[in-house]
């Protein structure tokens, strides 16, 4: 099932359908291998590879009758609160000034609402603040100092989110700064010899995305992150941007992402995953199509390898209304986590476009 597609094969294809055929996928109306059977949609929780605990927590709440949004936020809070998880919340890797800045979004399918925060400092649970933006304001996105003031107005306590481990990782980066920051000299589409492209691709874009269907068929999702490690202060990735890092449509399903946020911001891919599912594609096929769109969108040579493939990775995770789920990435080797309520959370291999060299 996980057959790689070369960039040449992809670029030669005249449509998404022919590209998918080249991968061995049939796009339209194909039953997903992981479809859950039965008349009523069963609850399911999917998350990125760091979501074993989060999916288990969310499913346990859903089985007790919780709304999917309550469940996914409680799930990702476990990861935000974990000082040893360096991509989210407490202990997240900081910006280039050594300050942790967090981004998060939530979407609640049954009410068609969403909320997000970006570049939020000193508050370990940005997902809870994103939810309050949704529920207690007439806005959708609040950033920076305003987001911090909003969180404090709702009783959140400021704290230093740097741990000894993340501070030492930042100091090491700072002391070796010259080739790995995000500042670029003037360059054009043909320029390859800028070290940032590769170095940034290898830096931490860690994030957790978690999406769920509850017992009433309500679909919700949440994405939360400390973003690209050692980023330029104020940099915002895809995670808090509805349509990019997360999208939910209660009539169709939910999708979210991890990986290089800049690439996903340029393609707005989570809403595309949902739209691909609306057209009849399985969650996995929809995720693969979104990956292909990012590949097609990436034209700057500094971001491409010598075969014209992106040097970076982006991952998508999706569920549909029927309880089918799937995940895919541009590059092989990525996993996702899922809990269907029948057994413990599992970590599974996602589909991919390109196979990494061993
Ligand atoms: N996808 C997370 C980020 O790039 O910030």
């Amino acid at each position: 099932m996980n057959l790689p597609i070369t960039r040449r094969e992809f670029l030669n294809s005249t449509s998404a359908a022919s590209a998918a055929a080249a991968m061995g996928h049939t796009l339209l109306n194909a039953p997903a291998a992981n479809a859950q059977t039965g008349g009523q949609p069963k609850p399911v929780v999917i998350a990125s590879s760091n979501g074993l605990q989060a999916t288990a927590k969310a499913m346990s709440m859903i089985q007790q009758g919780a709304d999917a949004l309550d469940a996914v936020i409680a799930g990702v809070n476990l990861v935000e609160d974990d000082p040893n998880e360096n991509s989210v919340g407490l202990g997240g890797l900081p910006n280039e000034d050594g300050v942790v800045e967090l981004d998060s979004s939530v979407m609640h399918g049954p009410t068609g609402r969403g909320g997000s925060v970006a570049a939020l400092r000193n508050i370990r649970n940005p997902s809870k603040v994103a939810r309050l933006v949704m529920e207690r304001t007439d806005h959708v996105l609040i950033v920076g100092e305003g987001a911090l003031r909003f969180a404090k107005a709702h009783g959140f306590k400021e704290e230093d989110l740097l741990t000894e481990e993340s501070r030492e990782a930042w100091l090491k980066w700072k002391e070796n700064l010259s080739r790995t920051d995000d500042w670029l000299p003037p360059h054009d589409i043909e320029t390859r010899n800028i070290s940032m492209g590769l170095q940034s691709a290898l830096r931490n874009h860690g994030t957790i995305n978690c999406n769920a269907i509850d017992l009433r068929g309500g679909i919700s999702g949440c994405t939360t992150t400390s973003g690209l490690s050692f980023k330029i202060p104020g940099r915002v990735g895809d995670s808090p941007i509805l349509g990019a890092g997360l999208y939910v449509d209660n009539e169709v399903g939910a999708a979210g992402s991890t990986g290089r946020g800049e690439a996903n911001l340029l393609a707005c891919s989570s809403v595309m995953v949902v739209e691909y599912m609306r057209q009849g594609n399985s969650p996995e096929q929809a995720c693969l199509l979104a990956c292909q769109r990012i590949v097609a969108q990436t034209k700057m040579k500094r971001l491409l390898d010598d075969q014209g493939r992106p040097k970076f990775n982006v991952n998508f995770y999706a569920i549909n209304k029927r309880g089918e789920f799937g995940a895919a990435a541009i590059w092989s080797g990525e996993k996702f986590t899922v809990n269907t309520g029948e057994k413990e959370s599992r970590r599974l291999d996602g589909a991919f476009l390109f196979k990494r060299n061993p």
Side-chain angles (χ1 to χ4, degrees), residues 4 9 89 95 113 125 164 204 227 230 262 267 274 342 347 351 358:
E9 284 169 330
N95 65 20
R113 293 178 301 165
N125 296 124
E164 270 308 285
N204 192 325
F230 319 133
E262 281 72 9
V274 172
E342 288 132 14
R347 190 177 271 129

Side-chain angles (χ1 to χ4, degrees), residues 1-5 16 18-25 288-289 292 352-353:
M1 194 146 178
N2 292 339
L3 297 177
I5 181 173
S18 60
M23 287 186 295
H25 288 281
L288 282 165
L289 285 167
Q292 289 169 6
F352 57 86
L353 294 183

Side-chain angles (χ1 to χ4, degrees), residues 67-81:
D67 182 279
L69 186 62
D70 291 328
V72 295
I73 291 176
V76 304
N77 288 164
L78 296 177
V79 186
E80 289 173 332
D81 288 341

Side-chain angles (χ1 to χ4, degrees), residues 94-174:
N95 65 20
E96 68 176 22
D97 290 342
V99 179
V100 181
E101 285 184 340
L102 305 174
D103 301 335
S104 182
S105 60
V106 301
M107 272 193 93
H108 186 242
T111 56
R113 293 178 301 165
S116 39
V117 288
L120 174 63
R121 299 180 173 194
N122 298 350
I123 304 291
R124 67 162 71 187
N125 296 124
S127 58
K128 291 183 180 173
V129 187
R131 183 198 189 124
L132 281 170
V133 172
M134 181 184 87
E135 292 182 336
R136 303 285 291 273
T137 78
D138 192 35
H139 304 323
V140 171
L141 170 61
I142 303 181
V143 307
E145 179 62 28
L148 176 58
R149 287 214 300 269
F150 173 77
K152 286 166 70 177
H154 279 276
F156 286 82
K157 299 279 177 266
E158 282 194 80
E159 61 184 311
D160 185 355
L161 300 177
L162 266 187
T163 57
E164 270 308 285
E165 189 188 334
S166 60
R167 186 189 58 74
E168 279 173 17
W170 168 75
L171 195 59
K172 186 173 174 193
W173 173 82
K174 185 97 176 152

Side-chain angles (χ1 to χ4, degrees), residues 327-338:
I330 296 173
W331 286 98
S332 65
E334 300 292 340
K335 297 191 180 290
F336 68 102
T337 53
V338 68

